[in-house]
Amino acid sequence: QKEVEQDPGPLSVPEGAIVSLNCTYSNSAFQYFMWYRQYSRKGPELLMYTYSSGNKEDGRFTAQVDKSSKYISLFIRDSQPSDSATYLCAMTRTGGFKTIFGAGTRLFVKA
Amino acid sequence: GAGVSQSPRYKVAKRGQDVALRCDPISGHVSLFWYQQALGQGPEFLTYFQNEAQLDKSGLPSDRFFAERPEGSVSTLKIQRTQQEDSAVYLCASSPPTKDEQYFGPGTRLTVT
């Protein structure tokens, strides 16, 4: 079993929809949780960064962390065609160097 | 300012050849990471530097892989005697002091034929 599980999709939604992306993990030592967006043939770009449990909002993006369930989510409101990309969850332990990534979910937002 | 840059962007190597991949991190970034990303997968950690010190190389898949950062800025990932399974995108990322956020370069796509 992988340390971080993420549904690879693809997920296809109409423009304006609310998108929900999720990851589960098995290592309770993870404390830092990130979401990256990766366009084709580009490097990942950091979208959201949260520490421990709770919610964080930035514009159309909301990240949620539920450590008791070992479950993290990214919500995208009013999705746009430009949001079409692969979304990667990632996490690290306190004091750790190694970041563990999920496999990524491919999202398509149709105009 | 300039982001993380990597060169070459694309590299084709015949099986058995040695390759060297370069990473120029963001100026002032102390931490530098190398990742390997296979098609359809997330990045997998290879190694980590803090300045010139290689603090974690547990992700390097074999002793054919070697990374260095001799002056604490530019880093090189070297793969000796390349094999087909080494075909992947190699990503470099850097982080500023006291922050954990990583900033990624565009990657080097390595194809071993």
Side-chain angles (χ1 to χ4, degrees):
Chain A
Q1 185 188 5
K2 291 184 178 181
E3 279 191 282
V4 179
E5 298 279 357
Q6 184 175 12
D7 187 335
L11 179 62
S12 184
V13 302
E15 183 176 359
I18 296 174
V19 175
S20 172
L21 303 166
N22 313 292
C23 287
T24 59
Y25 62 95
S26 56
N27 190 340
S28 57
F30 288 136
Q31 294 279 1
Y32 295 92
F33 303 91
M34 288 79 72
W35 285 95
Y36 286 85
R37 178 175 62 197
Q38 187 172 27
Y39 292 112
S40 181
R41 299 188 181 271
K42 303 281 188 186
E45 170 195 10
L46 181 66
L47 280 178
M48 301 288 283
Y49 178 89
T50 54
Y51 171 70
S52 199
S53 284
N55 292 2
K56 184 174 183 179
E57 188 173 319
D58 184 1
R60 296 185 295 111
F61 298 93
T62 299
Q64 286 186 351
V65 175
D66 181 350
K67 290 195 68 183
S68 62
S69 302
K70 297 191 181 69
Y71 187 86
I72 68 171
S73 301
L74 177 71
F75 298 94
I76 307 174
R77 290 183 296 281
D78 187 25
S79 55
Q80 303 295 311
S82 58
D83 294 329
S84 298
T86 296
Y87 289 80
L88 298 153
C89 64
M91 47 201 78
T92 57
R93 296 188 291 265
T94 299
F97 312 126
K98 187 180 295 190
T99 300
I100 307 298
F101 282 82
T105 299
R106 292 189 69 191
L107 172 67
F108 295 96
V109 181
K110 299 172 293 186
Chain B
V4 178
S5 61
Q6 293 186 246
S7 60
R9 289 294 315 278
Y10 302 91
K11 177 70 178 178
V12 178
K14 291 191 189 306
R15 190 162 58 93
Q17 282 185 331
D18 297 350
V19 298
L21 313 179
R22 176 187 169 109
C23 172
D24 283 84
I26 294 171
S27 178
H29 280 199
V30 168
S31 300
L32 186 145
F33 303 79
W34 282 99
Y35 293 87
Q36 180 189 61
Q37 186 173 25
L39 191 63
Q41 298 297 314
E44 293 225 5
F45 172 87
L46 293 177
T47 188
Y48 164 73
F49 289 87
Q50 190 171 87
N51 295 307
E52 68 279 4
Q54 189 174 23
L55 298 186
D56 189 335
K57 55 181 181 180
S58 62
L60 296 175
S62 76
D63 59 8
R64 296 186 295 104
F65 287 71
F66 172 76
E68 60 183 4
R69 194 186 184 197
E71 295 177 0
S73 54
V74 171
S75 177
T76 305
L77 176 67
K78 297 179 179 177
I79 309 173
Q80 296 176 323
R81 304 182 303 282
T82 52
Q83 303 295 313
Q84 278 198 307
E85 62 263 27
D86 300 335
S87 294
V89 175
Y90 290 85
L91 293 163
C92 175
S94 67
S95 291
T98 70
K99 287 196 171 245
D100 290 317
E101 297 102 300
Q102 296 179 33
Y103 297 84
F104 281 82
T108 294
R109 184 176 297 271
L110 173 66
T111 303
V112 182
T113 60

